[in-house]
Amino acid sequence: MQQTRFLDRQSPPHILTLVICAGLGALSLNVFLPSLAAMAVHFGTEYHVMQFAVSGYIAGTALLQLVIGPLSDIFGRRRVMIGALLVMLVGTVVCLAAPSVEIFMFGRLLQTTVVAGFVLPRAIIRDTVPMESAASMIAYVTMGMSLIPMVAPTVGGTLNDLFGWEANFVLMLFLGVLTLLLVSADLGETNKTPAASFAAQFKSWPDLFRSRRFWGYALTSTFSSGVFFAFLGGAPFIGTAIYNLTPTMLGVQFFLIAAGYMVGNFIAGRYTKRFGTMTMMISGSVVSLVGIVVTALALLTGIDSATAFFAPLALTGVGNGLTLPSSNAGVVSVRPKLAGSASGLGGAITVGGGAAFSMIAGAVLTPGSGGWPLLAIMAVSTVLAIAASVYVRQVERNEEAAGAQANP
């Protein structure tokens, strides 16, 4: 593997650059979550309409990943990343200047291009290292990235209390410009074998769709991420309508689950090579399920407080941190020459499923229901993640056995 030199485009990009690209995407998703109620008041609309700024954004990023991955296989990772950041900055300006909720939502859709910060680092890593090393490196990237969702909602809530919701988008604009400058200076081209055409890339999709391993890894990512996206869709309502938390204190609850995610990423980065991707994926989902069960037991025993509800769910963050690096590495390793397309397609499936979980969680919660519907959705998603991991493990065992018989 070529030695990395910071701010040298002739060498692979520094891991810090990849972390910041991914972190900007996380910031755009969750920094303003504590401000949703205030934004609904500002635009004179209902909370569930304003919540579309989250669920609609997630759905938009899912669709966009279908395009960004293949584009990066054709035109290169560097060009696509820079173009995506430029469009994101335009969208942020639109959100700041929006006179109505409709214009604001248009700006949010433009901001979805920042999803390149999620898609392309995985492909860039796979361009330069093999699968097991890719899983560890993805874990370290996401561990560094997880610092952003740890502090972003807390910072966002504080900015809202001090300056209003607009301050969150000013922050996005400033950090977006800095990220663009860093990418321009440090990110060289890692795709050394560009695809012939856009049509050729889409023609490769049936090959991915026919791969049972691809589906096993993609569904593991989808259902594991579904736990977190359901939390994103339901936690703001539970925190404000049920536990009467201020935006700042609601941001603290997001800090807990993001801190758990960082812990899980660290463990995955340290031990994936030793224990393997399958062990990490299954154990991560089990840890996530434990967190959900602990919260449910607290409610059943009458311990009904914001801390009792949110604190155990930090384990779902740990579980995601263990599972996702390995499942994402698996997605881009099924067909290494299609790393960009696989990353985009797998990401679209994952985020599309996440958008569904987020919208369902936001729709079923009422002041009278408490947190039970959210816990049920998160539990179902976790069990399905375990089933997908077991499925892909069995597929790989069968393929290994068939290979051994063919080549005794």
Side-chain angles (χ1 to χ4, degrees):
M1 191 176 82
Q2 187 179 353
Q3 182 68 32
T4 296
R5 295 183 299 275
F6 190 45
L7 300 181
D8 182 356
R9 297 205 304 267
Q10 301 306 312
S11 70
H14 196 278
I15 191 171
L16 178 63
T17 302
L18 302 181
V19 168
I20 291 175
C21 288
L24 184 64
L27 181 84
S28 181
L29 173 63
N30 71 359
V31 69
F32 68 96
L33 287 181
S35 301
L36 280 177
M39 293 165 68
V41 172
H42 174 85
F43 288 111
T45 188
E46 299 292 331
Y47 178 86
H48 69 87
V49 175
M50 206 67 236
Q51 205 269 344
F52 186 75
V54 179
S55 57
Y57 175 90
I58 295 172
T61 59
L63 294 175
L64 197 58
Q65 289 184 69
L66 297 175
V67 179
I68 285 180
L71 281 177
S72 74
D73 283 339
I74 299 168
F75 299 109
R77 321 300 186 203
R78 173 182 166 81
R79 290 180 182 177
V80 174
M81 182 71 80
I82 290 176
L85 289 172
L86 288 172
V87 176
M88 177 266 179
L89 292 174
V90 172
T92 305
V93 172
V94 171
C95 288
L96 277 169
S100 66
V101 69
E102 292 81 9
I103 300 298
F104 175 85
M105 292 301 178
F106 175 71
R108 281 294 286 169
L109 290 178
L110 291 179
Q111 282 189 315
T112 59
T113 58
V114 77
V115 76
F118 290 136
V119 176
L120 299 187
R122 295 195 297 258
I124 289 167
I125 290 170
R126 191 60 186 89
D127 286 340
T128 56
V129 298
M131 179 177 170
E132 293 296 335
S133 297
S136 292
M137 192 169 177
I138 290 172
Y140 283 126
V141 168
T142 51
M143 181 183 72
M145 180 209 73
S146 64
L147 290 171
I148 302 299
M150 280 176 66
V151 301
T154 305
V155 171
T158 303
L159 288 175
N160 179 89
D161 291 343
L162 293 176
F163 307 109
W165 65 267
E166 295 91 343
N168 294 319
F169 289 85
V170 173
L171 178 65
M172 286 187 224
L173 185 64
F174 174 72
L175 295 178
V177 170
L178 291 182
T179 303
L180 178 61
L181 294 174
L182 176 61
V183 168
S184 299
D186 187 61
L187 178 59
E189 187 51 62
T190 61
N191 181 12
K192 304 302 183 182
T193 55
S197 68
F198 206 77
Q201 285 303 100
F202 280 106
K203 288 179 181 178
S204 70
W205 281 12
D207 190 30
L208 291 173
F209 281 131
R210 285 191 297 268
S211 171
R212 292 184 296 165
R213 290 177 62 228
F214 172 81
W215 280 109
Y217 285 120
L219 291 177
T220 298
S221 291
T222 299
F223 292 124
S224 182
S225 296
V227 178
F228 176 68
F229 283 118
F231 181 85
L232 287 183
F237 179 85
I238 291 174
T240 55
I242 297 177
Y243 294 115
N244 299 313
L245 297 178
T246 65
T248 300
M249 290 308 299
L250 179 59
V252 172
Q253 312 311 319
F254 285 95
F255 176 91
L256 294 176
I257 195 169
Y261 186 64
M262 184 177 182
V263 171
N265 284 154
F266 174 78
I267 296 172
R270 185 84 179 265
Y271 295 107
T272 297
K273 287 184 180 180
R274 180 182 302 181
F275 296 107
T277 55
M278 290 299 160
T279 299
M280 286 299 174
M281 289 194 301
I282 294 174
S283 61
S285 295
V286 170
V287 170
S288 183
L289 187 60
V290 168
I292 298 167
V293 169
V294 171
T295 295
L297 290 176
L299 294 181
L300 284 173
T301 55
I303 307 174
D304 190 8
S305 67
T307 301
F309 185 89
F310 287 109
L313 294 182
L315 287 176
T316 65
V318 176
N320 268 350
L322 291 172
T323 299
L324 291 177
S326 291
S327 61
N328 287 332
V331 164
V332 297
S333 297
V334 171
R335 300 289 187 272
K337 291 185 178 180
L338 303 174
S341 295
S343 180
L345 183 57
I349 295 169
T350 297
V351 179
F357 281 108
S358 178
M359 288 186 283
I360 292 171
V364 301
L365 289 168
T366 65
S369 68
W372 286 108
L374 177 61
L375 292 179
I377 294 169
M378 294 173 72
V380 169
S381 188
T382 304
V383 171
L384 291 174
I386 294 173
S389 298
V390 171
Y391 170 77
V392 73
R393 181 178 65 177
Q394 189 59 45
V395 167
E396 293 199 341
R397 285 178 175 175
N398 292 342
E399 290 180 355
E400 290 174 359
Q405 290 179 355
N407 300 285

